[in-house]
Amino acid sequence: NVRGLAIASDKESITRNYAVQLNEGGNTVLALAYNRWGCSDTARIVVFRQGIPLASKHCGASKRLFVLSIGVSLYKGGITPLAFPAKDAEDFLKIWSDQTPCPYPEVLPIMLTDANATKSAILDSLHELCARASSRDMVMLFMAGHAIRDTHGRFCYVAFDSDTGNYQASLIADRELLRPMEQCGARILCFIDACYAGNISLDFSPRETRAESNARSRIVILHSTAPFQQANESSAWNNGVFTKALFE
């Protein structure tokens, strides 16, 4: 009243239109009113802009994605438990669960965590998956958990039912993992988040067959550690370090 201002009623409003450029995703819009006597408090609004939907893409020939995601946090014997491998496996599977209609018209997922991730279950699932996948398909294998090196320095994955008293028979050696993949015609991506994962190799004997030689170009292995390194996990990321980086 001192400056000749009138207080508007609740039903009165003043509308002004301003053009604002929004980026795709989250945007913060700040609004304030001012005159020669001062400025109002800042109003903050978060606006989400969705991208323009693309025209539906024809998928063409069938190209399926097979995903086998494995993570063991808790073990049957006296093996030290881990915090996040089972969650890593669940998170990995979620990433690929919504790939339809393209680039993969069909996603066929298998997840084995903790008590379900026994040696026999892992190898049976891998053999079945590789037998079903054709040369037009993609296979993805994710494994997180404990691993050790055997007496020859080769990578061995520790399954849920691995026995500390009989490690050699109860572990999953790298050759047991690689053999069904080498015989599979599909393209294969392996993501291994475990200690000493760099010891996994696609080396063959001098008398390797043509099929085994072709496997070199079809199988790609991404591992979290060098042959002598241990893997890490952290509550700061709620994942293993390699898995967190992979998701990002």
Side-chain angles (χ1 to χ4, degrees):
N1 289 335
V2 174
R3 299 188 179 94
L5 299 176
I7 301 176
S9 67
D10 294 338
K11 296 182 180 179
E12 291 181 301
S13 64
I14 299 175
T15 301
R16 294 288 187 270
N17 295 321
Y18 299 94
V20 178
Q21 182 175 352
L22 299 176
N23 295 321
E24 186 173 341
N27 297 264
T28 301
V29 179
L30 306 179
L32 53 88
Y34 63 91
N35 58 21
R36 58 178 175 158
W37 289 292
C39 182
S40 69
D41 292 335
T42 301
R44 183 185 300 267
I45 304 171
V46 178
V47 180
F48 290 89
R49 177 191 169 204
Q50 188 174 10
I52 300 173
L54 299 177
S56 59
K57 180 181 177 182
H58 180 62
C59 295
S62 173
K63 185 172 65 171
R64 299 170 298 177
L65 171 63
F66 293 82
V67 183
L68 176 56
S69 191
I70 303 165
V72 182
S73 297
L74 305 175
Y75 293 84
K76 181 179 180 180
I79 301 173
T80 304
L82 296 168
F84 298 112
K87 179 180 180 295
D88 290 344
E90 294 174 2
D91 292 345
F92 184 85
L93 204 64
K94 289 178 184 177
I95 290 177
W96 302 105
S97 61
D98 186 19
Q99 292 295 301
T100 54
C102 287
Y104 300 101
E106 186 177 8
V107 179
L108 303 169
I110 300 175
M111 183 172 67
L112 300 173
T113 58
D114 291 342
N116 292 320
T118 62
K119 178 176 180 177
S120 61
I122 291 172
L123 293 179
D124 288 348
S125 297
L126 183 59
H127 277 275
E128 179 185 355
L129 181 151
C130 289
R132 294 178 60 192
S134 71
S135 59
R136 292 185 298 182
D137 298 325
M138 170 69 79
V139 171
M140 291 188 183
L141 170 66
F142 176 87
M143 300 184 77
H146 277 307
I148 68 169
R149 290 172 290 186
D150 64 13
T151 54
H152 302 288
R154 303 300 297 261
F155 173 88
C156 294
Y157 183 76
V158 182
F160 168 78
D161 57 343
S162 293
D163 183 1
T164 55
N166 187 19
Y167 251 157
Q168 296 305 314
S170 60
L171 296 173
I172 303 177
D174 61 351
R175 296 308 304 164
E176 293 181 280
L177 294 171
L178 292 171
R179 182 55 62 186
M181 291 190 284
E182 291 164 0
Q183 297 172 350
C184 177
R187 291 176 298 154
I188 300 174
L189 275 174
C190 301
F191 303 90
I192 312 297
D193 192 357
C195 298
Y196 317 119
N199 289 291
I200 299 178
S201 60
L202 283 167
D203 51 327
F204 305 103
S205 68
R207 294 179 297 176
E208 66 185 11
T209 66
R210 181 179 180 128
E212 288 173 331
S213 180
N214 290 338
R216 295 176 184 269
S217 61
R218 291 187 295 98
I219 302 174
V220 176
I221 302 174
L222 303 179
H223 44 79
S224 61
T225 52
F228 53 86
Q229 285 181 322
Q230 293 184 340
N232 288 302
E233 57 181 5
S234 173
S235 58
W237 305 297
N238 288 319
N239 287 113
V241 177
F242 171 79
T243 304
K244 176 64 175 177
L246 177 63
F247 293 162
E248 291 184 353

